Amino acid sequence: MTLKDVIYKDSIKFILSGGKGGVGKTSCAGAMAVLSAQQGYRTLVLSTDPAHSLSDSFDQNLAGGEVIPIQGVDNLWGMEISTEKGMAEFQSAMGGGAGGPEMQMASQFMGDVGGMAPPGSDEAMAFGKILEFIEDSSYDRVIFDTAPTGHTLKLLELPELLDSWLGKILTLRQRLSSMMSGLKSMFGGGGEEDQSWEMLQQTKEKIKAARIELADEEVTQFVVVMIPEAMAVFETQRLLASLHAWNIPANNIIINQLVPENPDCQFCHKRRQMQQSNMEDIRELYQDMDLTEVPLFNQEIRGIEGLTRLGKILIGEDK
Ligand SMILES: Nc1ncnc2c1ncn2[C@@H]1O[C@H](COP(=O)(O)OP(=O)(O)OP(=O)(O)O)[C@@H](O)[C@H]1O
Ligand SMILES: [Mg+2]
């Protein structure tokens, strides 16, 4: 499946752009988002990288944790996830706000139980957004501009972690509830805590649904971005192994920043030789995947114009 097939396929709801630091993840996410919107899909491009650069890439302010329409392209919205805002929402979604007595006891108890602390906040929020947009039919498609590999791997292992974490809490709840009913009969009980438990149960169900959607290659595609250099190859290997382990479909690699032929420039010639030699290894390593080559531009990729230019190369309509 070429990148064009991915972007123009109706059933694809999530496209994630990921890879090593600085290789062009944000530019590629932006370019794919512009293509998707121009094709008529209501598209949201979402940055899960705490060091956001989506605003810089689109040359528009997309900060503040709200969905903002992107100027210059119909059907396109953008958002940089805000840590503070998202954390508060996530905590309340996890029932942290309600805090009935059972919840408080459970969290106190959990403090004593190793390995049951809730997962990291940036990733949790980003995942909270995935859950939100899985249910939200306002967009046909959400394109994720992810953080460099390590961070993104943490995000992707979250469904499993959260699932088992919530599972443990819910089991704990069962154990506590008989004790609590005794206490309630002594002090008089409210119904509020039941609501927060119900929310946890619902969150667990949502996570289960998300894991199914994220593993379905008709719905989700992780597009790996890399440059033709040895370090990037190693990191891509690790990334693909993890994606495979978590059943996240990945069939496309963008190889970015290829130095064009320039006989008058010794430096360019040397770099090109090095890259072309790595390209041979890359083609050999990733025979089963679709590879898209993108040249190094003579300027930064910025604004709708730059992203549109990159997009044309991604779908093979320009070289
Ligand atoms: N093919 C290219 N030609 C020229 N410049 C490029 C190309 N691809 C990316 N760039 C530039 O390289 C810089 C880094 O790109 P980008 O922000 O897309 O990478 P990233 O992988 O998202 O980085 P980070 O890991 O910091 O999030 C930007 O200034 C971008 O304009
Ligand atoms: Mg980036």
Side-chain angles (χ1 to χ4, degrees):
M1 193 161 43
T2 65
L3 213 46
K4 187 175 181 176
D5 296 333
V6 172
I7 297 165
Y8 290 179
K9 192 173 177 137
D10 287 353
S11 65
I12 294 289
K13 181 141 196 223
F14 301 111
I15 301 177
L16 296 94
S17 167
K20 194 175 178 308
V23 293
K25 300 176 293 296
T26 302
S27 309
C28 290
M32 291 191 286
V34 169
L35 285 167
S36 168
Q38 283 170 342
Q39 194 63 17
Y41 298 112
R42 292 170 62 85
T43 303
L44 172 66
V45 55
L46 192 71
S47 165
T48 66
D49 186 349
H52 299 292
S53 59
L54 205 56
S55 295
D56 297 333
S57 181
F58 275 94
D59 202 13
Q60 291 179 30
N61 184 7
L62 304 172
E66 300 285 346
V67 171
I68 297 170
I70 292 183
Q71 303 300 313
V73 186
D74 290 341
N75 302 317
L76 186 58
W77 290 263
M79 175 175 172
E80 291 178 345
I81 289 174
S82 138
T83 312
E84 298 80 39
K85 196 166 175 288
M87 197 58 206
E89 281 170 12
F90 184 74
Q91 270 172 349
S92 90
M94 299 300 273
E102 284 184 352
M103 258 328 233
Q104 282 166 15
M105 267 183 82
S107 61
Q108 242 175 26
F109 184 67
M110 276 181 331
D112 302 332
V113 181
M116 279 180 71
S121 60
D122 289 339
E123 292 84 18
M125 260 173 350
F127 186 63
K129 285 291 160 201
I130 298 182
L131 292 185
E132 199 180 309
F133 290 116
I134 278 181
E135 290 190 322
D136 187 345
S137 55
S138 334
Y139 305 98
D140 300 317
R141 182 167 288 163
V142 186
I143 295 185
F144 292 87
D145 168 26
T146 72
T149 312
H151 233 287
T152 297
L153 291 184
K154 275 204 225 154
L155 165 66
L156 296 175
E157 76 178 350
L158 208 62
E160 209 170 307
L161 263 181
L162 268 179
D163 205 13
S164 87
W165 184 71
L166 287 175
K168 282 179 195 164
I169 296 184
L170 289 165
T171 313
L172 194 62
R173 189 247 162 141
Q174 272 165 1
R175 287 199 211 131
L176 280 174
S177 67
S178 56
M179 194 163 91
M180 283 311 293
S181 59
L183 282 177
K184 267 186 210 156
S185 63
M186 280 164 71
F187 299 114
E192 194 193 336
E193 65 274 24
D194 285 336
Q195 267 175 19
S196 46
W197 286 115
E198 205 169 296
M199 271 173 90
L200 282 189
Q201 187 64 52
Q202 281 168 6
T203 306
K204 199 169 182 307
E205 295 299 320
K206 279 195 215 169
I207 291 169
K208 202 169 148 197
R211 288 181 72 179
I212 293 170
E213 297 250 293
L214 289 175
D216 183 347
E217 64 173 0
E218 299 292 318
V219 178
T220 301
Q221 285 290 332
F222 194 108
V223 174
V224 177
V225 185
M226 70 182 294
I227 52 174
E229 287 173 22
M231 302 264 280
V233 176
F234 299 143
E235 190 151 327
T236 299
Q237 290 289 78
R238 284 195 292 271
L239 174 58
L240 285 172
S242 301
L243 292 174
H244 185 72
W246 295 318
N247 293 321
I248 296 176
N251 299 304
N252 301 77
I253 303 182
I254 296 170
I255 301 132
N256 191 18
Q257 302 181 18
L258 279 156
V259 176
E261 185 67 278
N262 181 353
D264 299 333
C265 164
Q266 259 304 311
F267 173 80
C268 314
H269 181 69
K270 277 265 174 231
R271 276 202 75 80
R272 186 176 159 83
Q273 265 189 334
M274 174 274 288
Q275 289 192 341
Q276 289 302 321
S277 147
N278 287 328
M279 276 309 297
E280 283 174 27
D281 299 338
I282 291 169
R283 288 192 194 103
E284 176 81 29
L285 267 171
Y286 306 118
Q287 288 173 23
D288 303 339
M289 298 186 68
D290 185 83
L291 308 183
T292 306
E293 297 180 23
V294 177
L296 179 67
F297 293 10
N298 59 8
Q299 56 196 20
E300 282 187 308
I301 299 167
R302 277 198 86 188
I304 302 298
E305 203 180 318
L307 295 170
T308 304
R309 185 176 165 208
L310 174 59
K312 287 207 170 114
I313 295 171
L314 293 182
I315 57 169
E317 290 185 357
D318 197 357
K319 288 283 156 208

